Amino acid sequence: MSADETRDDDPPATYQVGYKRPPLHTRFKPGVSANPKGRPKGRRNLKHDLEEELSERLTLRDGDRRLRVTKQRALVKATIARAIKGDVRAQAQAYSLLLRAFGMDDEAQDSATLGSADAEILSSYIERLPG
């Protein structure tokens, strides 16, 4: 290679190495991954492990009969039973489960509705939209 020819990976004469400007020879090459193996397919995570554990069945006694239920169902039954007996923490937990399972509570629904002033502003904005 002659002196006036430059290689493709040679930096321009004005290139300054510094903050957010790493040396060109240490940069990732185009098309080359920094983590070529990546996360293995089928790798278990906490959500999958928790779902699997909660779906396992166990046998409970309810009075004189035996029930075969999932661990998730047993956990819900135990929480509701403690809440009914007056356990304040269990009541809060049961209420939280209800809200998560069945949607928003009444206060959140009330705040989601528009007042008359807000509805007026929104309708005037829609009228001004082009098209």
PDB file of all heavy atoms in Angstrom, residues 33 53 62 74 90 116 120:
ATOM      1  N   SER A  33     -22.141  -9.167  16.779  1.00  0.00           N
ATOM      2  CA  SER A  33     -22.839  -8.947  18.044  1.00  0.00           C
ATOM      3  C   SER A  33     -21.855  -8.913  19.195  1.00  0.00           C
ATOM      4  O   SER A  33     -20.850  -9.621  19.205  1.00  0.00           O
ATOM      5  CB  SER A  33     -23.852 -10.062  18.262  1.00  0.00           C
ATOM      6  OG  SER A  33     -24.407  -9.958  19.548  1.00  0.00           O
ATOM      7  N   GLU A  53     -44.845 -23.452  39.768  1.00  0.00           N
ATOM      8  CA  GLU A  53     -44.981 -23.802  41.186  1.00  0.00           C
ATOM      9  C   GLU A  53     -46.418 -23.621  41.657  1.00  0.00           C
ATOM     10  O   GLU A  53     -46.962 -24.475  42.363  1.00  0.00           O
ATOM     11  CB  GLU A  53     -44.034 -22.937  42.032  1.00  0.00           C
ATOM     12  CG  GLU A  53     -43.995 -23.308  43.490  1.00  0.00           C
ATOM     13  CD  GLU A  53     -43.361 -24.669  43.741  1.00  0.00           C
ATOM     14  OE1 GLU A  53     -42.506 -25.108  42.960  1.00  0.00           O
ATOM     15  OE2 GLU A  53     -43.755 -25.293  44.760  1.00  0.00           O
ATOM     16  N   ASP A  62     -60.962 -29.675  54.050  1.00  0.00           N
ATOM     17  CA  ASP A  62     -61.974 -28.633  54.267  1.00  0.00           C
ATOM     18  C   ASP A  62     -63.078 -29.288  55.081  1.00  0.00           C
ATOM     19  O   ASP A  62     -63.960 -29.951  54.533  1.00  0.00           O
ATOM     20  CB  ASP A  62     -62.481 -28.111  52.923  1.00  0.00           C
ATOM     21  CG  ASP A  62     -63.408 -26.922  53.075  1.00  0.00           C
ATOM     22  OD1 ASP A  62     -63.412 -26.307  54.166  1.00  0.00           O
ATOM     23  OD2 ASP A  62     -64.130 -26.609  52.112  1.00  0.00           O
ATOM     24  N   ALA A  74     -55.058 -22.604  46.843  1.00  0.00           N
ATOM     25  CA  ALA A  74     -54.880 -22.758  48.285  1.00  0.00           C
ATOM     26  C   ALA A  74     -54.435 -21.434  48.916  1.00  0.00           C
ATOM     27  O   ALA A  74     -54.905 -21.070  50.003  1.00  0.00           O
ATOM     28  CB  ALA A  74     -53.855 -23.852  48.580  1.00  0.00           C
ATOM     29  N   ALA A  90     -54.437  -9.404  55.764  1.00  0.00           N
ATOM     30  CA  ALA A  90     -55.068 -10.320  54.816  1.00  0.00           C
ATOM     31  C   ALA A  90     -56.210  -9.618  54.090  1.00  0.00           C
ATOM     32  O   ALA A  90     -56.437  -9.850  52.898  1.00  0.00           O
ATOM     33  CB  ALA A  90     -55.568 -11.572  55.521  1.00  0.00           C
ATOM     34  N   SER A 116     -67.755  18.173  32.454  1.00  0.00           N
ATOM     35  CA  SER A 116     -68.383  18.874  31.328  1.00  0.00           C
ATOM     36  C   SER A 116     -67.417  19.861  30.678  1.00  0.00           C
ATOM     37  O   SER A 116     -67.395  20.000  29.448  1.00  0.00           O
ATOM     38  CB  SER A 116     -69.651  19.587  31.786  1.00  0.00           C
ATOM     39  OG  SER A 116     -69.331  20.544  32.782  1.00  0.00           O
ATOM     40  N   GLU A 120     -66.109  19.644  26.783  1.00  0.00           N
ATOM     41  CA  GLU A 120     -66.239  20.777  25.858  1.00  0.00           C
ATOM     42  C   GLU A 120     -64.920  21.073  25.160  1.00  0.00           C
ATOM     43  O   GLU A 120     -64.873  21.274  23.944  1.00  0.00           O
ATOM     44  CB  GLU A 120     -66.681  22.028  26.644  1.00  0.00           C
ATOM     45  CG  GLU A 120     -68.055  22.527  26.294  1.00  0.00           C
ATOM     46  CD  GLU A 120     -68.370  23.759  27.113  1.00  0.00           C
ATOM     47  OE1 GLU A 120     -67.820  24.834  26.800  1.00  0.00           O
ATOM     48  OE2 GLU A 120     -69.158  23.624  28.062  1.00  0.00           O
TER      49      GLU A 120
END
